[in-house]
Amino acid sequence: MHIISRLLLSLLLVLRPTAVLPQSDFNELPNLGDASGQVISPKQDKELGAYFMRQIRQAGMVLDDEESTSYLQALGHKLAIHSENPGYGFTFFLVNDDSINAFAGPGGYIGANVGLVLAAESESELAGVLAHEIAHVTQRHLARSFQAQERMSLPTTAAILAAILIGATADPGAGAAALTAASAAGMQAQINFTRANEKEADRVGIQTLADADFDPFGMPRFFERLQKNSKLYGTRPPEFLSTHPVTINRISEATTRAETYPRVKEYTNLDFLLIQARLRVNNFANPKQVLADVRRYEGKSGGKSPVERYEFALLLSINEQHDEALPIIQKLQKSDPDRIAYRLSLGQILRAAKQEREALDIYKDTLDLYPGEAMVILPYATTLMATGNAEKAYTLLTDITSNDEVDPQIYKLLAQAAGATDRPVQTHTAMSQYYFMNGYTNQAIEQLKLAEKSPSLSAYQTARIQARIANMEAILDAEQQE
């Protein structure tokens, strides 16, 4: 059964008209939007967003690729600081789906499908879509559109939003059936953005694009190409066109607005092209056949441009041709020594080729260039663990867990490093956080209870763990409310 179908099937058990609010005050949820304009508070918006993100992760929709995610976050934050609410605190993530779509969830969580990134022909086009979604958040379109029919718990509301915002991407039939059965179909209509919402998001987003020094025509250009090519998609047009209806009039208005800003010369961002290459290789259904085709047309070089050769090296490596991939990526890295994509891929291929010591050297050198970068620390710590240096891995991983956007995989690896260095409390607390971030609250509580049994706990540690258990039990109770 498809992962989204499983999510929506599970909603049948929790999305019932009789859902009520739990008593704990952190779950109090007012109407998200009413006639007086009263909307959910910023604190409640963030809590709803956290629940929403855990639903998305539990459904297995988030792409766990630190390098690609770091790129998207950097691009998103570059735009966000030029938005109408630069201090909001956005979180950008990739959805592991090859359809063309993006969405703005509650709490500033903005998802972009892998298919969207691959469909963009320039970074300004991708930035245009992200700027549009950022505008939906800053203008509070979701909060003002989704009027609660009844008072519901945050987990229930988050589950509905998760199903609506991403459910149709993978299985529209299952999504509609589950929402109807849950008496939530009416809510879907309420959160659909109006034409006025879309035009406002275009207007504000184009301004954000221009202020961030991107080509303001990136947004209407991408929309126009999707609209022109929509007939080529048959019975399944890009989901983006369903959730963000694009008309000739809307494209014309966006183009006219873009013309009011100074023209920006579009430049080729190599990092954007390299991330596209990485995502393409990881998305190939039959990499062996693709490699055979590339060899047939490009020979041993894999292409003329750095991007083509980089993609060829990754393609060789995914086909376990590491010895052939290695000199290609080494040459690329030598020609552009500080390019982080080349460095990380070189480390990855060296480790795959059983040259762990050389991989450690490149990771250490890269971390010196980019201190604190999670996309460097994760493969570095993984290689340290594989070579028996769990203590250093533990130190590196501990240093970055204070980052709000840390990947759950960091906590899983931290738990392994803590276990290998005889730190039982840290093993269970890190694993608890990993489970919690992925939506498995019960398992997270079990890990904390194991940590609580450790005889080495101080009074302060015991109090902290007990408080965390109490908090998670309240969340679990809210999640199980009917």
Side-chain angles (χ1 to χ4, degrees), residues 310-379:
Y310 172 76
E311 185 169 345
F312 185 51
L314 296 184
L315 183 58
L316 286 166
S317 185
I318 204 172
N319 279 282
E320 299 185 353
Q321 306 293 317
H322 311 301
D323 291 341
E324 189 178 349
L326 191 53
I328 298 174
I329 201 69
Q330 285 174 327
K331 187 175 181 179
L332 285 170
Q333 195 269 326
K334 186 176 181 180
S335 67
D336 192 354
D338 292 345
R339 183 74 56 182
I340 195 167
Y342 294 157
R343 286 175 161 271
L344 292 176
S345 295
L346 176 56
Q348 174 188 334
I349 293 171
L350 281 167
R351 187 184 170 206
K354 307 300 182 184
Q355 299 183 37
E356 287 92 351
R357 293 300 170 187
E358 291 81 357
L360 287 173
D361 288 341
I362 191 69
Y363 286 138
K364 181 181 182 304
D365 189 50
T366 304
L367 193 59
D368 289 339
L369 281 174
Y370 302 96
E373 277 287 355
M375 62 176 154
V376 182
I377 291 175
L378 188 57

Side-chain angles (χ1 to χ4, degrees), residues 206-222:
I206 288 173
Q207 179 178 332
T208 298
L209 269 181
D211 291 345
D213 294 326
F214 287 99
D215 181 4
F217 287 89
M219 184 190 296
R221 187 168 59 241
F222 185 69

Side-chain angles (χ1 to χ4, degrees), residues 91-106:
T91 299
F92 302 88
F93 62 96
L94 281 164
V95 177
N96 194 15
D97 193 294
D98 58 8
S99 62
I100 301 172
N101 200 16
F103 55 83

Side-chain angles (χ1 to χ4, degrees), residues 201-239:
D202 290 347
R203 173 182 62 79
V204 175
I206 288 173
Q207 179 178 332
T208 298
L209 269 181
D211 291 345
D213 294 326
F214 287 99
D215 181 4
F217 287 89
M219 184 190 296
R221 187 168 59 241
F222 185 69
F223 291 171
E224 182 177 19
R225 193 169 68 256
L226 282 186
Q227 198 269 345
K228 285 182 177 179
N229 294 338
S230 60
K231 294 181 180 179
L232 302 178
Y233 294 99
T235 59
R236 188 78 187 279
E239 182 62 26

Side-chain angles (χ1 to χ4, degrees), residues 3 53 56-65 69 93-96 407-408 438:
I3 48 179
M53 192 62 195
I56 300 292
R57 286 195 177 279
Q58 190 178 40
M61 293 299 293
V62 178
L63 178 68
D64 287 322
D65 182 72
T69 301
F93 62 96
L94 281 164
V95 177
N96 194 15
D407 191 307
N438 281 294

Side-chain angles (χ1 to χ4, degrees), residues 367-432:
L367 193 59
D368 289 339
L369 281 174
Y370 302 96
E373 277 287 355
M375 62 176 154
V376 182
I377 291 175
L378 188 57
Y380 187 17
T382 301
T383 309
L384 285 168
M385 291 282 292
T387 54
N389 198 342
E391 186 64 44
K392 187 170 183 179
Y394 177 82
T395 301
L396 285 172
L397 294 165
T398 302
D399 288 343
I400 63 168
T401 51
S402 59
N403 185 346
D404 290 338
E405 293 184 353
V406 66
D407 191 307
Q409 295 298 320
I410 294 287
Y411 284 102
K412 186 176 182 179
L413 189 58
L414 176 60
Q416 293 170 357
T421 54
D422 195 26
R423 292 180 169 95
V425 175
Q426 290 80 0
T427 299
H428 295 304
T429 54
M431 204 63 197
S432 172

Side-chain angles (χ1 to χ4, degrees), residues 12 77 90 125 186 191 258 342 379 402 427 445 459 463 471 478:
L12 295 173
H77 289 317
F90 290 88
E125 290 189 0
I191 75 161
Y342 294 157
S402 59
T427 299
I445 293 171
N471 179 261

